[in-house]
Every structure is written in C-alpha cells, then in structure tokens.
Amino acid sequence: MSEFDWEWQKLRAECELKDLEGDAFETRFQEIAKSAWKEDFTPTIPMGSRGDLKCDGFRRSTGTVYQCYGPRYGQVAVAEALRKIDEDFKGASGHWGDTLREWKFVVNLFRDRVPSEIVRSIANLSEVLKVAAGAFNRSDIIDLIRSLPAPERAALYGRAPRTVDMAKITYANLGRALATLKKAISIDRMEPIPISASLAKKVRFNLLPDSTRHFLSIGQAGVPKVRNYLAEQADPEESERMAEGFRSRYGECVAEALEPEKIFAEMLSFAGGNSGESDRDAAALAIVTHFFVTCQIFEIPPEGAQE
C-alpha cells in the first residue's frame, strides 16, 4: 500500500499547499524541511528589531538560505514578489556573508511553474552577488515530501483509506464530513439524477489515473452507508442539495482548468477530507465515490464510448 499511501498524501499536500498563504506557508515549509533534513536544517524566527536576517530557514551542509513567499488573500502579486527578491536576496548576502553559498526563493505559486520575471530577477541578482540561487517551487516541495520516510509522511498527511476503513464508517463520521458542505450550499433547486455509467468506464473517460481508480474502488464499499445516511435525513431535500453542492464545486474546478486528478483531490477536500484523520478521510472518500457513481461529478461517458 505504500505507493497508494503516497498518492493519497500527494493529493492532500497539493490541496493544502494551494490554499496556504503568507506565514502559514512559511511555517509548513519549515516543518517539511525539518522533517526531511533533520539537524541539517534550522527554521528561523524574527527577533524583534533584529529581524530574521532575511532567512526563513538555513541548511548548514549546503550553506543555503531559504526565503519563503506565499501570496496573501489569494492574490498573486508578481511586483511584490520581485521587490521581495531584491530586498531579501541582497539582505541575506549582507547578513550572511561568505556563509551564504546558495539562496532559494521558496514560492507557493502556480504549482511547478514560476513567472519569467521572477526567474530573471533571481538569475540577475545571482550574477551580481556571486551566489548560486534559484526558485524552489511547489513541485519541489512535493518532491521533498515524497523523500520523507513513510512514518513521517503519514504524520504530516495521514495514510490512504483501506477497505477495512469503509467498514468502520459511522453516521457520525459521515455527518461530520457532510457538515462542511452545508455551509457552502445556498441553493435548493432539484434536478434529475442521470443514469450511472460503470465506474471503470467513467474513470477511463475522465482520464483519471490508476491511483484514483484504486481509491474509488475502495470508496465503493462505503457508498451504501452514504446512500442510507442521506435517505434517513429528516429533510428530504438534503440529498439533492448535497448533490448540487458537489456539481457546483466540480463546475468551478472545470472552469479553473484543473487536471482531473486535481479535481478529484478538490472533491475530497470539499467532502470534509484532507483532515489526516483516517476515519474522517474514509468518510470523505465514500461520499465522493457516491456522487461519482451517481454521476453528480465528472463527465458522463457518451453512448458508444470505449468500454
């Protein structure tokens, strides 16, 4: 299960990093780097008027100063990032002198891509200051997480649900997971539920990877409990409101042009997953699988699509 554990942890990490801003991103990077590099890495904090010497973390073996930048309030501001690069790289050079052998700008932008202006600014300053430098992007952080020993990865991002977890799903867990949806649902229109396609055919048609196929196959075991839970709610319209909430969130993900695997991760997070608690994550997986097999989310294969 180790590879599926990693696929699950990667989904959680990508969802988490996407939403982290400012200081929260800096703190999470420090935790991940500390887990990966142990005593070789020292997270730093500002000390009053002395500041942080333009360093959010220092790796002794490589002489690397890490400086983090995460957008605030969901806004990506390249101009702000460029000002920070100029101020912090020059500042680190002045504060750390010959101890600084490498400078890394840890950016929480655009997954594995960095704006060209940022790349150019770092390269120009690297030449001027005679210090190796580069961006450390979200994909680099994901790679760093993957390098962690399995127990430490599990401590940060939990483990993949097992079939046995589906047997342990309780109405309390489902209720907790679905409670997060209620806050996001404000519409109550009713729409007919399309006829379900086969799970495998729908997975293939939506270009979902084998890891997602695996998680959905696990989640199927919990679908009857989700169906029964929804059927027993006092409000007969609650099931449809939940379905509409999922449809709406799925539509937003499609509009953002997210890849199918990322959309699946967003659906898990929307269902109250991404918690690191195995029972709650199992409930979220069962809920997403329910709405997947009832064709509320993801595209329905047309007639004649390849089996």
Side-chain angles (χ1 to χ4, degrees), residues 37 48 57-58 62 95 101-102 107 132 137 153 177 185 198 212 221 225 231 235 244 274 276 293 304:
W37 297 321
F58 180 68
T62 58
H95 286 300
R101 287 181 278 144
E102 185 182 43
V107 289
N137 63 34
R153 284 207 319 260
I185 297 171
S198 74
T212 303
K225 285 187 179 178
D235 181 354
E244 183 54 36
N274 207 15
V293 300

Side-chain angles (χ1 to χ4, degrees), residues 144-187:
L144 192 60
I145 295 168
R146 185 169 194 175
S147 74
L148 298 177
E152 295 191 27
R153 284 207 319 260
L156 288 171
Y157 294 105
R159 63 164 177 79
R162 272 62 162 169
T163 303
V164 67
D165 293 325
M166 294 297 139
K168 297 177 182 176
I169 291 175
T170 65
Y171 277 14
N173 290 335
L174 291 171
R176 272 204 306 167
L178 287 170
T180 62
L181 272 74
K182 295 179 181 177
K183 299 175 183 176
I185 297 171
S186 58
I187 48 182

Side-chain angles (χ1 to χ4, degrees), residues 5-216:
D5 278 342
W6 164 239
E7 293 295 338
W8 183 263
Q9 291 155 356
K10 185 172 71 171
L11 289 174
R12 290 201 55 216
E14 288 175 340
C15 271
E16 178 195 59
L17 289 171
K18 179 179 65 62
D19 294 330
L20 287 181
E21 298 184 344
D23 293 342
F25 171 65
E26 175 185 323
T27 299
R28 196 52 160 168
F29 170 74
Q30 291 174 330
E31 292 170 348
I32 293 166
K34 187 66 178 177
S35 294
W37 297 321
K38 306 290 190 278
E39 298 307 314
D40 194 28
F41 179 81
T42 304
T44 64
I45 56 173
M47 292 297 290
S49 61
R50 295 176 180 271
D52 62 0
L53 305 185
K54 301 302 180 185
C55 173
D56 292 331
F58 180 68
R59 191 177 183 192
R60 183 168 49 189
S61 65
T62 58
T64 305
V65 164
Y66 293 87
Q67 190 69 24
C68 297
Y69 174 71
R72 295 181 185 275
Y73 311 114
Q75 299 297 314
V76 177
V78 174
E80 180 189 8
L82 292 173
R83 283 195 298 273
K84 185 172 179 62
I85 290 168
D86 187 73
E87 179 182 334
D88 290 358
F89 196 178
K90 290 178 180 176
S93 178
H95 286 300
W96 293 81
D98 292 340
T99 304
L100 176 64
R101 287 181 278 144
E102 185 182 43
W103 187 81
K104 286 291 187 184
F105 191 54
V106 187
V107 289
N108 193 21
L109 302 174
F110 311 122
R111 293 186 296 181
D112 58 346
R113 298 180 184 179
V114 178
S116 299
E117 286 185 275
I118 288 178
V119 175
R120 183 180 62 186
S121 176
I122 294 173
N124 288 343
L125 276 176
S126 175
E127 184 72 20
V128 170
L129 300 173
K130 308 301 181 190
V131 175
F136 198 86
N137 63 34
R138 199 178 293 169
S139 289
D140 294 321
I141 298 173
I142 295 294
D143 289 342
L144 192 60
I145 295 168
R146 185 169 194 175
S147 74
L148 298 177
E152 295 191 27
R153 284 207 319 260
L156 288 171
Y157 294 105
R159 63 164 177 79
R162 272 62 162 169
T163 303
V164 67
D165 293 325
M166 294 297 139
K168 297 177 182 176
I169 291 175
T170 65
Y171 277 14
N173 290 335
L174 291 171
R176 272 204 306 167
L178 287 170
T180 62
L181 272 74
K182 295 179 181 177
K183 299 175 183 176
I185 297 171
S186 58
I187 48 182
D188 61 355
R189 64 187 176 89
M190 300 281 286
E191 289 186 2
I193 299 175
I195 298 173
S196 175
S198 74
L199 184 63
K201 183 178 179 181
K202 190 174 177 184
V203 167
R204 187 164 47 249
F205 183 76
N206 283 277
L207 303 178
L208 290 163
D210 288 343
S211 57
T212 303
R213 179 198 300 268
H214 168 82
F215 295 136
L216 288 168

